[in-house]
Amino acid sequence: MVGPSRLMTLLSCFELGIIDLLRDKPGMTAAELGEAVGANPAAVEQLLHLPVKEGFVARDAETGGYRLDAFGRIAPIRLRQVREIMDMVKVVMLRQMFYLTESVRSGSLVGLKELYDFDGNLYEAVGEHRDLRESWATMMDGVTTLTDPWFFRNIDIPRGARVLDLAGNTGLGAILTHQLSESSGLHVTTFDLPEKQEECLANFRSHGVAERSSFIGGDVFASVPAGFDVVLVKHFLDMFDKRDVVRILTNVYQALDVGGQVNILVPVYPDDITEASSAGVDIFPAYFLACTMGQGGPQQLSTYRKWLEECGFKVTKAIAQDLTAMPGALIAHGILSATKVA
Amino acid sequence: MVGPSRLMTLLSCFELGIIDLLRDKPGMTAAELGEAVGANPAAVEQLLHLPVKEGFVARDAETGGYRLDAFGRIAPIRLRQVREIMDMVKVVMLRQMFYLTESVRSGSLVGLKELYDFDGNLYEAVGEHRDLRESWATMMDGVTTLTDPWFFRNIDIPRGARVLDLAGNTGLGAILTHQLSESSGLHVTTFDLPEKQEECLANFRSHGVAERSSFIGGDVFASVPAGFDVVLVKHFLDMFDKRDVVRILTNVYQALDVGGQVNILVPVYPDDITEASSAGVDIFPAYFLACTMGQGGPQQLSTYRKWLEECGFKVTKAIAQDLTAMPGALIAHGILSATKVA
């Protein structure tokens, strides 16, 4: 019940600049901090109770001065990542979740409609609303940075393969494929809605991969282009319910020749939901149902395996990250590789 | 970071009626629940992952049927209290806290302004906005029911005393004084803004205490009426910063004769904020700064004692509830009794 207030109290200490001030000038009192950030010192003292209780910040009982405790020992880059996720929860989720029940009943994003007068999903809304875009994209870039190297270490792309990055947006996935895959001679094609083409090709040029990359415009729900050896499906399937996932995978199956493979990167729940490491179920259902899609949400690894098999694939790999070995991480991703067999 | 989504995911299971359905018909599947509550079964399954993980609800892996687990063992009245607090956090706090930083900077409730176009504090806003009033008043009634019996067991009101209930709203505190105090022959006067008089007197009549109760209209910041042996200050001082608390207590001191006493009931933080039992700091700063007052928040018991002494009082009692002995409770209250000495 105190979850929302804990998040916002901690985030507000960052937003007000208190944490940065204490890093530069340890020992500042509530009165000094209040003057520096333009806030009532009594309010600063109230906000700092929580980080003091949690050991993030320490307070000297004699002087009343504060200094960073655990926050001072966390690497700045890691602290920035934590703040980015807190900001995403604030901007993309906090107010929107007020309408979770109405969103589930209607299968639509009531919060986006009420708060932004927007009909559609978050991925469309980020095009029009800068606050949503900046908060969400910053967080997603962080997720990609953390998970894609793991993905490319764990899949096998044959040398010289023709690779299709499904729903590849504006080319980041294709660029990462060139950067992170150890296979040589790859040609990577981003497949997404036609309106992404211009920005995608510009990204290819600015990253020096234009000659080994291309763009095809289309809609994964209509059909997937043929002529590729490997299809990548990253950060995508968790947006949909089973019916749509099966439609997408069926279109991939039909586009591949025998021997062609699909490699999927997706957040997964552990097969035993009661495991402590299922932290994903604390956030994803509300994230997808109330804030981003009005449907969808990750599945268990075994569920994705079953759905691949229902579409005709032979699953050759199904692995998941071990959340218990990833301190501070909220989300375990899974990789599923599958082949179209004769 | 997952706090807001945890709260709303659990609350939505109640709001959709899923928990009530499972109490009546254990074993319902996501498909059956979805049909019954008018929601996509895949969304119901996503929402139920969290209560299953936490052991509140159990899922039969073979049938896919759900039944109440811990939620079935919690007394219904206790479960209702938990839901009332979750609802208060949703309605009074969730969206409002988005503006915590702006509220702290301005010392005003930016969330109330943005969401309700209301200038003022929550206690004024509940007069105009039914959703806020119902959610907040239900929660406050629950708090009063839990804490006031403890308060009256722990203070000494002399027989036949003339009692003033400071900021007594529409008479509930006076009525509880008659009901819960073991002293006989009391006359209790509610002191609050003049516009509360009519409803207060009606409450006295409907509770059969009209002959032993009265109402005085006024403003605690201007002056407190004289002629009373005992002043009660319940659920009030935590709304203000030190300057205002001292103004109120000074006015009480000036109104009392030598030997007169004040009894205060207020949420308190433990003297050692790093104690695990300081759960209050997880919620109160955001509650007061962003959602109800734009200032204020509870203090440590020792702070209130010091402020009473600064106003001239001799403190005769200062006790606090032990949160560790109150399973599930978020908030520890304190009692301070003090006397005006010659």
Side-chain angles (χ1 to χ4, degrees), chain B residues 19-29 32-33 58 63 65-68:
Chain B
I19 305 303
D20 287 338
L21 276 170
L22 291 179
R23 181 174 291 112
D24 294 341
K25 290 193 197 169
M28 290 180 79
T29 63
E32 291 164 346
L33 288 166
T63 64
Y66 296 90
R67 62 177 174 77
L68 299 190

Side-chain angles (χ1 to χ4, degrees), chain B residues 257-308:
Chain B
D257 294 329
V258 169
Q261 55 163 296
V262 61
N263 293 285
I264 295 166
L265 176 65
V266 66
V268 291
Y269 302 142
D271 282 340
D272 179 0
I273 288 288
T274 62
E275 269 183 31
S277 72
S278 337
V281 307
D282 293 20
I283 192 164
F284 277 125
Y287 177 77
F288 282 104
L289 298 172
C291 309
T292 62
M293 287 295 292
Q295 64 158 307
Q299 302 293 331
Q300 293 163 325
L301 199 64
S302 57
T303 302
Y304 283 124
R305 170 192 277 273
K306 202 170 57 184
W307 292 354
L308 275 165

Side-chain angles (χ1 to χ4, degrees), chain A residues 62-250:
Chain A
E62 298 217 352
T63 65
Y66 296 90
R67 62 176 173 77
L68 299 190
D69 193 359
F71 275 165
R73 296 191 298 272
I74 298 172
I77 188 172
R78 176 77 191 127
L79 204 55
R80 203 186 63 210
Q81 285 167 348
V82 169
R83 186 178 163 178
E84 284 169 3
I85 299 181
M86 289 199 292
D87 186 71
M88 184 283 290
V89 175
K90 173 192 169 186
V91 176
V92 175
M93 299 185 70
L94 192 69
R95 296 169 300 162
Q96 290 83 340
M97 279 189 301
F98 180 88
Y99 307 96
L100 173 58
T101 295
E102 292 79 3
S103 296
V104 167
R105 283 211 185 98
S106 65
S108 70
L109 299 174
V110 178
L112 268 188
K113 178 70 183 168
E114 292 286 330
L115 297 163
Y116 293 88
D117 195 25
F118 188 86
D119 292 296
N121 65 39
L122 176 74
Y123 308 100
E124 295 156 357
V126 295
E128 291 186 23
H129 294 280
R130 185 174 161 176
D131 60 334
L132 294 172
R133 179 169 66 250
E134 290 187 350
S135 185
W136 176 79
T138 303
M139 179 278 302
M140 271 310 294
D141 286 351
V143 169
T144 300
T145 304
L146 281 172
T147 58
D148 282 39
W150 175 75
F151 175 70
F152 285 104
R153 273 201 310 277
N154 281 284
I155 63 169
D156 297 309
I157 303 183
R159 281 187 184 194
R162 298 159 301 168
V163 178
L164 185 73
D165 186 28
L166 199 79
N169 200 15
T170 56
L172 175 62
I175 293 162
L176 287 171
T177 306
H178 287 300
Q179 292 173 344
L180 296 172
S181 172
E182 294 182 354
S183 302
S184 58
L186 302 183
H187 188 95
V188 188
T189 301
T190 294
F191 179 62
D192 212 308
L193 301 175
E195 57 261 35
K196 314 260 187 180
Q197 176 161 354
E198 195 177 342
E199 190 178 342
C200 182
L201 295 179
N203 285 335
F204 288 159
R205 286 190 295 273
S206 66
H207 284 80
V209 298
E211 291 179 11
R212 297 172 286 150
S213 312
S214 48
F215 181 92
I216 296 178
D219 175 358
V220 292
F221 289 108
S223 71
V224 170
F228 294 91
D229 308 303
V230 174
V231 176
L232 308 180
V233 189
K234 301 190 304 146
H235 311 293
F236 189 56
L237 293 187
D238 48 331
M239 292 162 56
F240 305 103
D241 288 336
K242 178 179 180 180
R243 197 189 59 162
D244 284 344
V245 173
V246 166
R247 277 174 69 192
I248 296 164
L249 294 178
T250 299

Side-chain angles (χ1 to χ4, degrees), chain A residues 4-6 8 12 15 40 46 49-50 53 90 97-98 100-101 105 241 269 273 282-283 285 297-298, chain B residues 4-6 8 12 15 40 46 49-50 53 90 97-98 100-101 105 241 269 273 282-283 285 297-298:
Chain A
S5 51
R6 284 173 61 89
M8 281 309 304
S12 192
E15 289 180 343
N40 178 349
Q46 288 283 339
H49 282 319
L50 178 60
K53 176 184 141 210
K90 173 192 169 186
M97 279 189 301
F98 180 88
L100 173 58
T101 295
R105 283 211 185 98
D241 288 336
Y269 301 142
I273 288 288
D282 294 18
I283 193 165
Chain B
S5 50
R6 284 173 60 89
M8 282 309 304
S12 192
E15 289 181 342
N40 178 350
Q46 289 282 339
H49 282 320
L50 178 59
K53 176 185 140 209
K90 173 192 169 186
M97 279 188 301
F98 180 87
L100 173 58
T101 295
R105 284 211 185 98
D241 287 336
Y269 302 142
I273 288 288
D282 293 20
I283 192 164

